Amino acid sequence: MRDHEPAPSLHGDRRLSTKEAAELLGVKPETVYAYVSRGQLSSRRVPGGRGSTFDAKEVETLARRNKRESGGSSGSGGELSVRTRITLIDEDRYYFRGVDATELAARHSYEEIAEWLWTGRMRPGTTFTAPEASVAVARRAVDALPEHASPTDRLRVAAIAAAAADPLRFDLSEDAVLGTARVLIPTLVAALPPVRSGHRDEGSLAQRLWARLSGRTPDEASLRVLDTALGLLVDHDLAASTLAVRVAASARAHAYAAVSAGLGVLEGPLHGAASGLAHRLLNDVLEQGDAGPVIADELRAGRRVPGLGHRLYRGEDPRARALFGLLEEIPRAEPALLAARDVVATTARHTPLHANVDLALAVLTASSGMPATAGETIFAVARTAGWIAHALEEYGERPLRMRPSGLYVGAKPPQPLPE
């Protein structure tokens, strides 16, 4: 019997050929056998033939489950789709649990937005603090790193150290994970070395983080920009680092490990480090007084101009728009703002790209006496809350569901043993 022909059943149950099963599942025939190898389907050899048959009810159940878990995607090899109630990006706006994210950031602190993201409830006035024991362990680990260690290196080491000191880290209940989150985020900030000696960790998380980024004493407007940036960056759907967090959580890694996975991906130059490139670009424009030659040098070197465009927004990144509006109220930010507008206007002569949040972060960091790595630090601290929200959501799903099938393209077996 040929493989594409339906097979008769000895027990009266309907059987499907490999081709029929693949069509119903919306996958390639080889993927059907991958389901068999993972125990998600059972197969039966065709008597006297080379093909296999599959129970129709099993195939239909798997098809429904795949559709449910992918949010209705076909599973035919397109982009991975994951059902989530956390963030929606739609028509140049984005929403946290259905509420406009820019409006939330304009009216609430980073800590309040984090609580909203985690629980769907607003806790006005909430502030995250860390116990001294947790901070001491993280600081000792971070202080042992070489001086040239990046901020993300320090944050990742701090997360691992805090995990090692927490005997309850393997408790994945919602209350336990929320307790971990409320302690981990301020621990990460406290583990970073302050720029000014004698600094006392007081006030909001934004105040404590500012002391790790700039030696200047912040005014109220500057702290508001930093706190708003943290709130705007708390989550952005399934970015690469967030997907890594969900994969770790799918394997039931504890919250510290899930955050560490996100930090590892964030350090890539195409993700968290993008604001540092924009910071250096702005400094070059400020030094030369004109964006033209700076952009020419970028393009001549074959580099993309940082801080422009976003694959999810046709117009201006709403996070950039919100931050630019606040930065306009700070007089010392005006030169960097003008430099950013010069960059946008110069590149718009040929390509109509809008500013993204990396350029807005660069204006904040360049005008506040912060290093080029400051934007990456802000991004990492902010996104930790979003990673926790996604880990919590993933803990409620079937374990190990983040397991795509590999499409083998190597030598056809059996091959001889290597000599």
Side-chain angles (χ1 to χ4, degrees):
M1 179 178 289
R2 294 195 302 274
D3 193 39
H4 64 273
E5 293 178 346
S9 170
L10 297 177
H11 305 285
D13 295 328
R14 182 167 169 252
R15 309 286 301 176
L16 300 178
S17 68
T18 304
K19 180 181 179 183
E20 288 173 323
E23 288 175 351
L24 185 57
L25 291 165
V27 299
K28 296 178 180 179
E30 51 264 37
T31 304
V32 176
Y33 291 105
Y35 286 135
V36 174
S37 68
R38 294 201 296 267
Q40 293 173 277
L41 278 181
S42 59
S43 65
R44 185 186 302 166
R45 300 289 294 179
V46 176
R50 292 184 300 171
S52 298
T53 64
F54 306 86
D55 182 271
K57 290 182 179 179
E58 270 192 9
V59 175
E60 289 167 359
T61 299
L62 180 60
R64 284 195 300 270
R65 190 172 71 204
N66 285 352
K67 186 175 182 180
R68 196 164 55 241
E69 291 176 354
S70 65
S73 68
S74 66
S76 57
E79 292 187 357
L80 178 65
S81 179
V82 177
R83 289 168 61 93
T84 178
R85 295 180 178 86
I86 299 171
T87 301
L88 169 68
I89 300 174
D90 185 44
E91 294 185 354
D92 289 349
R93 298 176 73 179
Y94 72 121
Y95 306 84
F96 293 153
R97 293 190 178 274
V99 180
D100 188 291
T102 58
E103 292 182 13
L104 273 173
R107 292 169 172 78
H108 294 279
S109 71
Y110 166 70
E111 292 99 317
E112 291 169 346
I113 294 171
E115 290 286 347
W116 171 254
L117 214 63
W118 295 336
T119 68
R121 297 186 298 274
M122 188 59 68
R123 296 177 59 187
T126 187
T127 301
F128 298 156
T129 56
E132 291 184 7
S134 175
V135 172
V137 169
R139 278 181 176 166
R140 284 198 298 271
V142 168
D143 289 346
L145 292 172
E147 288 188 12
H148 62 266
S150 72
T152 308
D153 287 331
R154 298 178 191 276
L155 291 171
R156 194 160 61 243
V157 166
I160 294 169
D166 183 1
L168 303 179
R169 62 187 180 277
F170 295 105
D171 184 348
L172 302 186
S173 65
E174 182 176 344
D175 287 345
V177 173
L178 287 174
T180 294
R182 294 172 184 135
V183 168
L184 175 58
I185 293 174
T187 297
L188 294 179
V189 172
L192 296 172
V195 175
R196 286 181 292 135
S197 59
H199 168 76
R200 296 177 62 185
D201 276 333
E202 296 176 337
S204 68
L205 193 85
Q207 284 180 285
R208 285 170 272 159
L209 180 58
W210 181 281
R212 270 82 186 167
L213 302 174
S214 175
R216 298 177 184 175
T217 301
D219 53 27
E220 187 176 337
S222 299
L223 285 176
R224 184 184 174 204
V225 176
L226 178 56
D227 189 53
T228 301
L230 290 169
L232 291 168
L233 291 167
V234 72
D235 191 56
H236 207 235
D237 195 33
L238 283 186
S241 56
T242 304
L243 180 58
V245 168
R246 292 199 76 128
V247 171
S250 178
R252 297 303 183 258
H254 54 69
Y256 299 94
V259 167
S260 183
L263 287 167
V265 175
L266 187 71
E267 199 169 19
L270 301 181
H271 196 5
S275 62
L277 301 176
H279 177 108
R280 295 182 182 93
L281 177 81
L282 283 189
N283 277 346
D284 289 343
V285 174
L286 287 168
E287 184 178 337
Q288 297 200 30
D290 184 0
V294 177
I295 290 174
D297 287 343
E298 291 289 314
L299 298 176
R300 186 180 298 117
R303 293 188 294 265
R304 179 183 175 187
V305 180
L308 300 176
H310 197 289
R311 64 188 296 264
L312 298 181
Y313 300 115
R314 293 183 180 179
E316 188 175 33
D317 185 333
R319 301 168 297 178
R321 185 167 56 247
L323 289 178
F324 283 143
L326 293 176
L327 287 162
E328 287 172 356
E329 301 174 10
I330 301 176
R332 73 164 183 274
E334 185 177 3
L337 266 174
L338 292 175
R341 288 171 180 153
D342 192 9
V343 169
V344 173
T346 301
T347 55
R349 297 173 193 170
H350 299 291
T351 307
L353 291 176
H354 298 274
N356 62 32
V357 72
D358 296 316
L359 192 62
L361 275 180
V363 172
L364 168 63
T365 57
S367 63
S368 302
M370 299 178 182
T373 56
E376 183 177 344
T377 307
I378 295 168
F379 194 106
V381 170
R383 193 55 58 88
T384 300
W387 292 335
I388 294 290
H390 281 274
L392 275 168
E393 198 170 60
E394 193 59 39
Y395 290 147
E397 298 288 350
R398 177 173 55 82
L400 294 174
R401 68 180 185 133
M402 304 294 227
R403 176 62 167 85
S405 299
L407 181 60
Y408 179 73
V409 294
K412 186 176 181 180
Q415 293 288 318
L417 287 171
E419 295 182 4

